[in-house]
PDB file of all heavy atoms in Angstrom:
ATOM      1  N   THR P 185      37.018  21.769   6.719  1.00  0.00           N
ATOM      2  CA  THR P 185      37.594  21.518   8.037  1.00  0.00           C
ATOM      3  C   THR P 185      38.919  22.255   8.117  1.00  0.00           C
ATOM      4  O   THR P 185      39.576  22.475   7.101  1.00  0.00           O
ATOM      5  CB  THR P 185      37.881  20.023   8.250  1.00  0.00           C
ATOM      6  OG1 THR P 185      38.816  19.620   7.250  1.00  0.00           O
ATOM      7  CG2 THR P 185      36.641  19.190   8.158  1.00  0.00           C
ATOM      8  N   SER P 186      39.301  22.577   9.344  1.00  0.00           N
ATOM      9  CA  SER P 186      40.577  23.290   9.482  1.00  0.00           C
ATOM     10  C   SER P 186      41.648  22.286   9.865  1.00  0.00           C
ATOM     11  O   SER P 186      42.280  22.423  10.894  1.00  0.00           O
ATOM     12  CB  SER P 186      40.446  24.359  10.548  1.00  0.00           C
ATOM     13  OG  SER P 186      40.008  23.748  11.748  1.00  0.00           O
ATOM     14  N   HIS P 231      32.062  29.287  10.290  1.00  0.00           N
ATOM     15  CA  HIS P 231      32.466  27.949  10.725  1.00  0.00           C
ATOM     16  C   HIS P 231      31.241  27.108  11.110  1.00  0.00           C
ATOM     17  O   HIS P 231      30.577  27.393  12.089  1.00  0.00           O
ATOM     18  CB  HIS P 231      33.445  28.055  11.902  1.00  0.00           C
ATOM     19  CG  HIS P 231      34.024  26.732  12.292  1.00  0.00           C
ATOM     20  ND1 HIS P 231      34.715  25.938  11.407  1.00  0.00           N
ATOM     21  CD2 HIS P 231      33.985  26.042  13.438  1.00  0.00           C
ATOM     22  CE1 HIS P 231      35.090  24.829  12.004  1.00  0.00           C
ATOM     23  NE2 HIS P 231      34.654  24.864  13.238  1.00  0.00           N
ATOM     24  N   VAL P 232      30.968  26.091  10.323  1.00  0.00           N
ATOM     25  CA  VAL P 232      29.823  25.175  10.542  1.00  0.00           C
ATOM     26  C   VAL P 232      28.528  25.920  10.857  1.00  0.00           C
ATOM     27  O   VAL P 232      27.834  25.613  11.828  1.00  0.00           O
ATOM     28  CB  VAL P 232      30.060  24.126  11.655  1.00  0.00           C
ATOM     29  CG1 VAL P 232      29.411  22.797  11.252  1.00  0.00           C
ATOM     30  CG2 VAL P 232      31.473  23.917  12.010  1.00  0.00           C
ATOM     31  N   VAL P 302      29.221  25.847  25.415  1.00  0.00           N
ATOM     32  CA  VAL P 302      30.638  25.956  25.086  1.00  0.00           C
ATOM     33  C   VAL P 302      31.085  24.679  24.407  1.00  0.00           C
ATOM     34  O   VAL P 302      30.789  23.577  24.847  1.00  0.00           O
ATOM     35  CB  VAL P 302      31.474  26.306  26.345  1.00  0.00           C
ATOM     36  CG1 VAL P 302      31.195  25.363  27.477  1.00  0.00           C
ATOM     37  CG2 VAL P 302      32.958  26.315  26.057  1.00  0.00           C
ATOM     38  N   GLY P 303      31.773  24.838  23.272  1.00  0.00           N
ATOM     39  CA  GLY P 303      32.234  23.667  22.526  1.00  0.00           C
ATOM     40  C   GLY P 303      33.394  24.047  21.642  1.00  0.00           C
ATOM     41  O   GLY P 303      33.900  25.172  21.695  1.00  0.00           O
ATOM     42  N   GLY P 304      33.821  23.113  20.827  1.00  0.00           N
ATOM     43  CA  GLY P 304      34.932  23.367  19.906  1.00  0.00           C
ATOM     44  C   GLY P 304      36.260  22.984  20.506  1.00  0.00           C
ATOM     45  O   GLY P 304      37.214  22.688  19.798  1.00  0.00           O
ATOM     46  N   ALA P 305      36.357  23.000  21.820  1.00  0.00           N
ATOM     47  CA  ALA P 305      37.571  22.602  22.541  1.00  0.00           C
ATOM     48  C   ALA P 305      37.154  22.336  23.981  1.00  0.00           C
ATOM     49  O   ALA P 305      36.051  22.718  24.383  1.00  0.00           O
ATOM     50  CB  ALA P 305      38.616  23.716  22.481  1.00  0.00           C
ATOM     51  N   ALA P 306      38.049  21.713  24.749  1.00  0.00           N
ATOM     52  CA  ALA P 306      37.711  21.380  26.138  1.00  0.00           C
ATOM     53  C   ALA P 306      37.420  22.655  26.925  1.00  0.00           C
ATOM     54  O   ALA P 306      38.077  23.687  26.733  1.00  0.00           O
ATOM     55  CB  ALA P 306      38.861  20.618  26.770  1.00  0.00           C
ATOM     56  N   CYS P 307      36.437  22.585  27.804  1.00  0.00           N
ATOM     57  CA  CYS P 307      36.026  23.769  28.565  1.00  0.00           C
ATOM     58  C   CYS P 307      36.822  23.859  29.873  1.00  0.00           C
ATOM     59  O   CYS P 307      36.801  22.926  30.675  1.00  0.00           O
ATOM     60  CB  CYS P 307      34.538  23.644  28.879  1.00  0.00           C
ATOM     61  SG  CYS P 307      33.899  24.976  29.881  1.00  0.00           S
ATOM     62  N   VAL P 325      28.491  22.200  28.351  1.00  0.00           N
ATOM     63  CA  VAL P 325      29.475  21.800  27.345  1.00  0.00           C
ATOM     64  C   VAL P 325      28.738  21.073  26.222  1.00  0.00           C
ATOM     65  O   VAL P 325      27.775  20.350  26.468  1.00  0.00           O
ATOM     66  CB  VAL P 325      30.537  20.873  27.992  1.00  0.00           C
ATOM     67  CG1 VAL P 325      31.487  20.325  26.940  1.00  0.00           C
ATOM     68  CG2 VAL P 325      31.307  21.615  29.072  1.00  0.00           C
ATOM     69  N   ALA P 326      29.174  21.314  24.985  1.00  0.00           N
ATOM     70  CA  ALA P 326      28.612  20.594  23.834  1.00  0.00           C
ATOM     71  C   ALA P 326      29.776  20.111  22.982  1.00  0.00           C
ATOM     72  O   ALA P 326      30.880  20.667  23.054  1.00  0.00           O
ATOM     73  CB  ALA P 326      27.717  21.509  23.023  1.00  0.00           C
ATOM     74  N   TRP P 327      29.545  19.074  22.234  1.00  0.00           N
ATOM     75  CA  TRP P 327      30.605  18.545  21.370  1.00  0.00           C
ATOM     76  C   TRP P 327      30.041  18.276  19.973  1.00  0.00           C
ATOM     77  O   TRP P 327      28.891  17.857  19.827  1.00  0.00           O
ATOM     78  CB  TRP P 327      31.173  17.243  21.942  1.00  0.00           C
ATOM     79  CG  TRP P 327      32.013  16.461  20.965  1.00  0.00           C
ATOM     80  CD1 TRP P 327      33.338  16.628  20.712  1.00  0.00           C
ATOM     81  CD2 TRP P 327      31.579  15.410  20.102  1.00  0.00           C
ATOM     82  NE1 TRP P 327      33.754  15.749  19.740  1.00  0.00           N
ATOM     83  CE2 TRP P 327      32.691  14.984  19.352  1.00  0.00           C
ATOM     84  CE3 TRP P 327      30.343  14.794  19.887  1.00  0.00           C
ATOM     85  CZ2 TRP P 327      32.623  13.967  18.388  1.00  0.00           C
ATOM     86  CZ3 TRP P 327      30.267  13.780  18.933  1.00  0.00           C
ATOM     87  CH2 TRP P 327      31.401  13.372  18.198  1.00  0.00           C
ATOM     88  N   GLY P 328      30.849  18.529  18.982  1.00  0.00           N
ATOM     89  CA  GLY P 328      30.460  18.227  17.616  1.00  0.00           C
ATOM     90  C   GLY P 328      31.626  18.519  16.710  1.00  0.00           C
ATOM     91  O   GLY P 328      32.725  18.812  17.162  1.00  0.00           O
ATOM     92  N   MET P 329      31.395  18.438  15.425  1.00  0.00           N
ATOM     93  CA  MET P 329      32.471  18.743  14.476  1.00  0.00           C
ATOM     94  C   MET P 329      31.900  19.131  13.120  1.00  0.00           C
ATOM     95  O   MET P 329      30.726  18.880  12.839  1.00  0.00           O
ATOM     96  CB  MET P 329      33.445  17.566  14.374  1.00  0.00           C
ATOM     97  CG  MET P 329      32.838  16.267  13.965  1.00  0.00           C
ATOM     98  SD  MET P 329      33.935  14.844  14.307  1.00  0.00           S
ATOM     99  CE  MET P 329      35.459  15.365  13.595  1.00  0.00           C
ATOM    100  N   THR P 330      32.735  19.748  12.291  1.00  0.00           N
ATOM    101  CA  THR P 330      32.314  20.210  10.971  1.00  0.00           C
ATOM    102  C   THR P 330      31.600  19.083  10.219  1.00  0.00           C
ATOM    103  O   THR P 330      30.578  19.306   9.567  1.00  0.00           O
ATOM    104  CB  THR P 330      33.550  20.665  10.156  1.00  0.00           C
ATOM    105  OG1 THR P 330      34.299  21.568  10.968  1.00  0.00           O
ATOM    106  CG2 THR P 330      33.157  21.341   8.873  1.00  0.00           C
ATOM    107  N   GLU P 331      32.130  17.883  10.338  1.00  0.00           N
ATOM    108  CA  GLU P 331      31.585  16.731   9.617  1.00  0.00           C
ATOM    109  C   GLU P 331      30.208  16.330  10.128  1.00  0.00           C
ATOM    110  O   GLU P 331      29.538  15.493   9.555  1.00  0.00           O
ATOM    111  CB  GLU P 331      32.539  15.531   9.768  1.00  0.00           C
ATOM    112  CG  GLU P 331      33.833  15.627   8.987  1.00  0.00           C
ATOM    113  CD  GLU P 331      34.948  16.375   9.730  1.00  0.00           C
ATOM    114  OE1 GLU P 331      34.637  17.137  10.657  1.00  0.00           O
ATOM    115  OE2 GLU P 331      36.126  16.178   9.376  1.00  0.00           O
ATOM    116  N   ALA P 360      31.460  16.034  27.817  1.00  0.00           N
ATOM    117  CA  ALA P 360      30.908  16.613  26.581  1.00  0.00           C
ATOM    118  C   ALA P 360      29.402  16.404  26.469  1.00  0.00           C
ATOM    119  O   ALA P 360      28.747  17.030  25.645  1.00  0.00           O
ATOM    120  CB  ALA P 360      31.612  16.013  25.377  1.00  0.00           C
ATOM    121  N   THR P 417      35.500   9.786  14.256  1.00  0.00           N
ATOM    122  CA  THR P 417      35.620  11.228  14.495  1.00  0.00           C
ATOM    123  C   THR P 417      37.064  11.700  14.671  1.00  0.00           C
ATOM    124  O   THR P 417      37.349  12.881  14.533  1.00  0.00           O
ATOM    125  CB  THR P 417      34.856  11.627  15.778  1.00  0.00           C
ATOM    126  OG1 THR P 417      35.459  10.926  16.878  1.00  0.00           O
ATOM    127  CG2 THR P 417      33.385  11.282  15.688  1.00  0.00           C
ATOM    128  N   ASP P 419      38.383  11.499  17.547  1.00  0.00           N
ATOM    129  CA  ASP P 419      38.451  11.795  18.985  1.00  0.00           C
ATOM    130  C   ASP P 419      38.526  10.487  19.767  1.00  0.00           C
ATOM    131  O   ASP P 419      38.002   9.460  19.334  1.00  0.00           O
ATOM    132  CB  ASP P 419      37.204  12.566  19.435  1.00  0.00           C
ATOM    133  CG  ASP P 419      37.244  14.012  18.967  1.00  0.00           C
ATOM    134  OD1 ASP P 419      38.347  14.589  18.913  1.00  0.00           O
ATOM    135  OD2 ASP P 419      36.183  14.564  18.647  1.00  0.00           O
ATOM    136  N   ILE P 431      35.468  13.628  26.107  1.00  0.00           N
ATOM    137  CA  ILE P 431      36.602  13.540  25.170  1.00  0.00           C
ATOM    138  C   ILE P 431      37.869  13.450  26.005  1.00  0.00           C
ATOM    139  O   ILE P 431      38.114  14.306  26.867  1.00  0.00           O
ATOM    140  CB  ILE P 431      36.682  14.819  24.301  1.00  0.00           C
ATOM    141  CG1 ILE P 431      35.407  15.019  23.488  1.00  0.00           C
ATOM    142  CG2 ILE P 431      37.923  14.823  23.423  1.00  0.00           C
ATOM    143  CD1 ILE P 431      35.306  14.207  22.257  1.00  0.00           C
ATOM    144  N   ARG P 434      42.366  13.907  21.088  1.00  0.00           N
ATOM    145  CA  ARG P 434      42.313  13.594  19.657  1.00  0.00           C
ATOM    146  C   ARG P 434      43.181  12.350  19.493  1.00  0.00           C
ATOM    147  O   ARG P 434      44.206  12.218  20.190  1.00  0.00           O
ATOM    148  CB  ARG P 434      42.930  14.715  18.812  1.00  0.00           C
ATOM    149  CG  ARG P 434      42.162  15.989  18.717  1.00  0.00           C
ATOM    150  CD  ARG P 434      40.876  15.883  17.981  1.00  0.00           C
ATOM    151  NE  ARG P 434      41.044  15.629  16.550  1.00  0.00           N
ATOM    152  CZ  ARG P 434      40.032  15.239  15.757  1.00  0.00           C
ATOM    153  NH1 ARG P 434      38.835  15.009  16.251  1.00  0.00           N
ATOM    154  NH2 ARG P 434      40.235  15.049  14.467  1.00  0.00           N
ATOM    155  N   ILE P 449      44.509  16.384  27.034  1.00  0.00           N
ATOM    156  CA  ILE P 449      43.467  17.349  27.443  1.00  0.00           C
ATOM    157  C   ILE P 449      43.384  17.445  28.973  1.00  0.00           C
ATOM    158  O   ILE P 449      43.297  18.536  29.533  1.00  0.00           O
ATOM    159  CB  ILE P 449      42.092  16.963  26.848  1.00  0.00           C
ATOM    160  CG1 ILE P 449      42.129  17.143  25.334  1.00  0.00           C
ATOM    161  CG2 ILE P 449      40.969  17.794  27.458  1.00  0.00           C
ATOM    162  CD1 ILE P 449      40.792  16.990  24.639  1.00  0.00           C
ATOM    163  N   THR P 523      40.552  28.007  13.397  1.00  0.00           N
ATOM    164  CA  THR P 523      39.343  27.963  14.226  1.00  0.00           C
ATOM    165  C   THR P 523      39.693  28.028  15.705  1.00  0.00           C
ATOM    166  O   THR P 523      38.898  27.682  16.563  1.00  0.00           O
ATOM    167  CB  THR P 523      38.508  26.696  13.952  1.00  0.00           C
ATOM    168  OG1 THR P 523      39.382  25.569  13.975  1.00  0.00           O
ATOM    169  CG2 THR P 523      37.796  26.766  12.638  1.00  0.00           C
ATOM    170  N   LYS P 525      41.998  26.382  17.485  1.00  0.00           N
ATOM    171  CA  LYS P 525      42.533  25.220  18.215  1.00  0.00           C
ATOM    172  C   LYS P 525      44.058  25.295  18.211  1.00  0.00           C
ATOM    173  O   LYS P 525      44.651  25.793  17.263  1.00  0.00           O
ATOM    174  CB  LYS P 525      42.078  23.926  17.543  1.00  0.00           C
ATOM    175  CG  LYS P 525      40.577  23.731  17.578  1.00  0.00           C
ATOM    176  CD  LYS P 525      40.216  22.367  17.071  1.00  0.00           C
ATOM    177  CE  LYS P 525      38.861  22.304  16.432  1.00  0.00           C
ATOM    178  NZ  LYS P 525      37.750  22.837  17.170  1.00  0.00           N
TER     179      LYS P 525
HETATM  180  P1  AMP J   1      35.742  21.406  14.096  1.00  0.00           P
HETATM  181  O1  AMP J   1      35.376  20.455  13.033  1.00  0.00           O
HETATM  182  O2  AMP J   1      36.788  22.400  13.679  1.00  0.00           O
HETATM  183  O3  AMP J   1      34.540  22.062  14.682  1.00  0.00           O
HETATM  184  O4  AMP J   1      36.449  20.593  15.262  1.00  0.00           O
HETATM  185  C1  AMP J   1      35.857  19.460  15.821  1.00  0.00           C
HETATM  186  C2  AMP J   1      36.742  18.930  16.905  1.00  0.00           C
HETATM  187  O5  AMP J   1      36.831  19.871  17.990  1.00  0.00           O
HETATM  188  C3  AMP J   1      36.233  17.666  17.558  1.00  0.00           C
HETATM  189  O6  AMP J   1      36.508  16.519  16.797  1.00  0.00           O
HETATM  190  C4  AMP J   1      36.970  17.693  18.892  1.00  0.00           C
HETATM  191  O7  AMP J   1      38.290  17.229  18.765  1.00  0.00           O
HETATM  192  C5  AMP J   1      37.012  19.178  19.216  1.00  0.00           C
HETATM  193  N1  AMP J   1      35.905  19.489  20.131  1.00  0.00           N
HETATM  194  C6  AMP J   1      34.686  19.946  19.835  1.00  0.00           C
HETATM  195  N2  AMP J   1      33.949  20.109  20.947  1.00  0.00           N
HETATM  196  C7  AMP J   1      34.723  19.723  21.989  1.00  0.00           C
HETATM  197  C8  AMP J   1      34.535  19.625  23.397  1.00  0.00           C
HETATM  198  N3  AMP J   1      33.403  19.978  23.984  1.00  0.00           N
HETATM  199  N4  AMP J   1      35.570  19.162  24.144  1.00  0.00           N
HETATM  200  C9  AMP J   1      36.742  18.806  23.576  1.00  0.00           C
HETATM  201  N5  AMP J   1      36.980  18.870  22.251  1.00  0.00           N
HETATM  202  C10 AMP J   1      35.981  19.320  21.466  1.00  0.00           C
END
Side-chain angles (χ1 to χ4, degrees):
T185 61
S186 56
H231 187 57
V232 217
V302 52
C307 177
V325 174
W327 166 86
M329 58 196 310
T330 309
E331 288 86 340
T417 62
D419 286 326
I431 300 280
R434 289 293 292 166
I449 292 188
T523 48
K525 296 188 209 309

